[in-house]
């Protein structure tokens, strides 16, 4: 099973992707998390990605495709995969269409999560993340027990540079111009696009996703 989580920044792809991997035992490949990990580890990839990420721009396709290919090749063939934040451009989607058959896979469905722009801006500007375990909080809707501290690992929470208001607006326009058009790419290729309303309580979104996967793809709940 290969699922692509598609949607604007702040719509909840990370949270829902993590819940899906928990319930179905799938592997989540989140390129944003992998890039932040590379930056923390001080690798060459992390160094190359840094300025793009801080400005809310996309990291060049060839770096991202190489990263994803490397991860896919390491996975046992029977393991389901959820892509979160990838592909983000048509070139990445086309590269994925080539790489998947090399590992005996294909895209089974796209889960398109959407919410109005003002909701996304509010969510992103309230977002705080744990630099250590990547857990995400929101000071408005889902605060940690102790202010500024991760419930899971005790690390000091940070606000990502790219969650500052001007950068958020730029990221939303990058999504609209470069990533949203991928819906057409998948629809034209007859890949099911499952539309999920993301402007609801987290557990309602999770339930809608599960229902849709069970009904449309026969995934066992
Ligand atoms: P995310 O955590 O998914 O919002 O990603 C954070 C940042 O990492 C993005 O704003 C981009 O700079 C970079 N990034 C993550 N995934 C990709 C991708 N598939 N293509 C290009 N850049 C990416």
């Amino acid at each position: 099973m290969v699922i692509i989580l598609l949607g604007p920044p702040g719509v909840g792809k990370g949270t829902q992707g993590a819940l899906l991997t928990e319930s179905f035992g799938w592997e989540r490949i989140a390129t944003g998390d992998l890039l932040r990990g590379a930056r923390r580890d001080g690798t060459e990839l992390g160094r190359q990605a840094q300025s793009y990420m801080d400005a809310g721009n996309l990291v060049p396709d060839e770096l991202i495709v190489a990263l994803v290919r490397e991860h896919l090749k390491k996975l046992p063939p029977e393991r389901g995969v959820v892509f979160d934040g990838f592909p983000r451009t048509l070139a990445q989607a086309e590269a994925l269409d080539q790489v998947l058959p090399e590992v005996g896979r294909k895209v089974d469905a796209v889960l398109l999560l959407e919410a109005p722009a003002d909701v996304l801006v509010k969510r992103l500007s309230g977002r705080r993340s744990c630099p250590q375990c990547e857990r995400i909080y929101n000071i408005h809707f889902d605060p940690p027990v102790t202010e500024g501290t991760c419930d899971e690992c005790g690390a000091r929470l940070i606000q990502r540079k790219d969650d500052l208001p001007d950068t958020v607006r730029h990221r939303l326009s990058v999504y609209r111009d470069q990533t949203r058009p991928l819906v057409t790419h998948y629809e034209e290729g007859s890949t099911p696009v499952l539309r999920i309303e993301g402007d609801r309580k987290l557990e309602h979104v999770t339930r809608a996703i599960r229902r849709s996967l069970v009904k449309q793809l026969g995934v066992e709940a």
Side-chain angles (χ1 to χ4, degrees):
M1 187 63 64
V2 175
I3 305 283
I4 292 174
L5 267 174
L6 198 68
V11 78
K13 297 187 300 297
T15 309
Q16 297 298 339
L19 290 170
L20 278 177
T21 56
E22 246 171 53
S23 13
F24 297 117
W26 293 341
E27 181 81 13
R28 173 169 162 260
I29 299 186
T31 42
D33 287 352
L34 294 175
L35 292 171
R36 280 184 290 278
R39 285 177 62 169
R40 263 198 314 275
D41 297 343
T43 67
E44 178 58 20
L45 170 67
R47 204 190 51 73
Q48 288 176 319
Q50 182 159 341
S51 59
Y52 298 99
M53 295 175 77
D54 287 346
N57 287 322
L58 295 182
V59 172
D61 291 331
E62 43 303 352
L63 294 179
I64 298 288
V65 170
L67 181 69
V68 168
R69 178 182 268 127
E70 181 197 317
H71 267 76
L72 264 180
K73 292 210 158 142
K74 281 194 278 194
L75 283 185
E78 67 287 355
R79 187 95 189 260
V81 179
V82 183
F83 285 108
D84 167 356
F86 174 87
R88 260 169 151 111
T89 63
L90 188 58
Q92 290 179 17
E94 287 171 351
L96 184 64
D97 292 342
Q98 288 194 341
V99 172
L100 284 176
E102 289 170 19
V103 288
R105 296 174 184 266
K106 67 168 179 52
V107 178
D108 292 288
V110 172
L111 269 173
L112 177 63
L113 277 172
E114 294 194 290
D118 54 336
V119 172
L120 300 171
V121 171
K122 179 153 189 211
R123 281 195 192 168
L124 288 167
S125 56
R127 181 155 80 172
R128 299 292 180 272
S129 359
C130 176
Q132 210 155 282
C133 73
E134 297 282 347
R135 177 151 173 203
I136 291 166
Y137 299 85
N138 191 292
I139 56 171
H140 307 298
F141 320 111
D142 179 24
V145 177
T146 310
E147 197 190 322
T149 305
C150 180
D151 295 348
E152 304 288 333
C153 69
R156 187 99 204 118
L157 300 181
I158 54 158
Q159 181 171 32
R160 281 167 42 178
K161 263 197 194 152
D162 59 348
D163 283 343
L164 296 172
D166 281 352
T167 315
V168 163
R169 276 186 284 275
H170 179 60
R171 288 165 66 201
L172 290 174
S173 74
V174 169
Y175 170 76
R176 195 188 51 229
D177 297 343
Q178 302 202 50
T179 308
R180 183 65 174 68
L182 294 186
V183 171
T184 313
H185 169 80
Y186 287 109
E187 279 174 344
E188 284 174 352
S190 302
T191 302
V193 175
L194 316 178
R195 288 175 160 75
I196 308 285
E197 172 56 59
D199 184 15
R200 292 184 279 180
K201 276 198 173 146
L202 189 148
E203 54 270 30
H204 293 175
V205 178
T206 308
R207 212 174 305 137
I209 291 177
R210 293 177 68 98
R211 220 179 286 133
S212 185
L213 290 175
V214 170
K215 187 163 161 227
Q216 308 283 340
L217 301 182
V219 169
E220 282 183 31

